Amino acid sequence: MPMLEVKNLGISFGGLRAVDDFNLTIEKGELYGLIGPNGAGKTTVFNMLTGVYKPTDGKIFLDGEDMTGKSTVELNKEGIARTFQNIRLFSDLSVLDNVKAALHNQKEYMYSTLTGILRLPSFYRLEKAMDERAMELLEVFGLEKEAHYKASNLPYGKQRELEIVRAMATNPKLLLLDEPAAGMNPNETQGLMDTIRFVRDKFDMTILLIEHDMKLVAGICERLTVLNFGQILAAGGTAEVLKDPKVITAYLGE
């Protein structure tokens, strides 16, 4: 059974058909790329997969369960997490607290408002457990030394990494990365490639990413789907797709 199966997904805004007849199958543990020119509909697909938009038609299945029409919160609890093109950290909170905010959606770390107000023993026990788990995740990205910095004081590349850590803290089955290398220099991008591979292998995670950096895409994605004007232009193994004349034309023009 595939981790993610998307059947005939589509959405219209007024009279505009933004995505039409989109199909996708991703196996457990796969590192999959969704690429295409600007305005092709990639982020719209992500928004449907994560409940930001409700599809006009089509179905979304996660581990065989129908997820179509569920809210963002419901989908996150089912195991789908994402990052965004534009960084959305809690900029005034510490790096550590950004990660802990994501841990609060998990049952093992939940406590009542009264427990928090009265500072009962269970409050300190759970806060300590969250601190330890957050630090473990920060260490994956080498961010543990900046744990008590304000998130807004991190360099841009590390803010990007922190957003990935925060998404991972929700313990997802499926991690969606929306242009994770945007704004990074070549050294940062290479480090990100290594980290994404490590995350997939260490946490047995399935990853779907949108990316414009073709070096990153070619370096880590096993399969690709290419969107153009809201429709699938090509799909298959990365090397074959990137050589497809239709794909080259879509990116470079006639």
Side-chain angles (χ1 to χ4, degrees):
M1 180 186 299
M3 168 66 72
L4 177 71
E5 189 171 14
V6 179
K7 296 182 177 180
N8 310 116
L9 204 64
I11 189 167
S12 299
F13 299 103
L16 174 66
R17 190 69 169 168
V19 174
D20 186 45
D21 197 27
F22 180 79
N23 293 275
L24 179 68
T25 300
I26 301 178
E27 302 297 333
K28 186 179 187 300
E30 195 167 14
L31 221 166
Y32 201 104
L34 178 61
I35 67 171
N38 287 330
K42 305 180 297 297
T43 295
T44 301
V45 168
F46 264 34
N47 285 338
M48 288 190 284
L49 295 179
T50 56
V52 177
Y53 296 155
K54 305 294 185 201
T56 306
D57 40 49
K59 293 286 186 180
I60 300 166
F61 298 92
L62 184 70
D63 278 338
E65 296 291 323
D66 190 351
M67 298 289 145
T68 316
K70 288 184 179 288
S71 70
T72 298
V73 172
E74 289 171 329
L75 288 168
N76 186 250
K77 288 182 177 178
E78 293 288 349
I80 299 177
R82 73 172 291 182
T83 64
F84 293 84
Q85 279 179 302
N86 301 313
I87 295 171
R88 299 189 185 184
L89 296 173
F90 301 115
S91 56
D92 289 331
L93 292 182
S94 71
V95 169
L96 183 69
D97 285 340
N98 264 271
V99 182
K100 287 174 67 177
L103 289 171
H104 276 285
N105 86 324
Q106 296 176 48
K107 290 180 180 179
E108 63 263 42
Y109 299 119
M110 288 181 180
Y111 51 78
S112 68
T113 303
L114 185 62
T115 297
I117 291 171
L118 298 179
R119 296 294 196 266
L120 298 176
S122 58
F123 166 81
Y124 292 104
R125 184 178 70 253
L126 289 170
E127 283 290 316
K128 183 174 183 290
M130 277 194 287
D131 283 344
E132 291 172 352
R133 178 58 178 156
M135 288 299 291
E136 285 175 7
L137 291 170
L138 288 171
E139 285 173 10
V140 172
F141 283 78
L143 289 170
E144 68 277 8
K145 292 180 181 176
E146 289 97 346
H148 299 292
Y149 289 19
K150 279 179 65 171
S152 58
N153 290 340
L154 288 179
Y156 181 84
K158 290 193 174 187
Q159 288 188 36
R160 280 267 170 207
E161 292 177 339
L162 176 57
E163 196 174 35
I164 298 174
V165 175
R166 189 178 62 183
M168 288 171 53
T170 65
N171 198 29
K173 300 176 185 176
L174 176 66
L175 179 61
L176 278 60
L177 304 177
D178 195 347
E179 295 194 36
M184 287 187 172
N185 63 43
N187 286 338
E188 290 171 331
T189 299
Q190 182 60 52
L192 179 68
M193 286 173 60
D194 295 340
T195 302
I196 290 173
R197 283 197 206 92
F198 177 77
V199 165
R200 189 272 299 271
D201 296 339
K202 179 177 175 61
F203 295 93
D204 194 24
M205 198 170 289
T206 307
I207 298 174
L208 170 62
L209 65 88
I210 292 172
E211 189 50 67
H212 283 290
D213 188 320
M214 288 300 104
K215 183 179 178 183
L216 186 149
V217 167
I220 65 173
C221 293
E222 292 139 356
R223 290 193 297 140
L224 296 177
T225 290
V226 184
L227 270 183
N228 197 28
F229 298 111
Q231 296 185 320
I232 292 176
L233 183 64
T238 297
E240 292 76 18
V241 168
L242 293 179
K243 292 175 186 174
D244 189 318
K246 300 192 301 293
V247 174
I248 294 169
T249 299
Y251 271 96
L252 301 179
E254 294 292 346

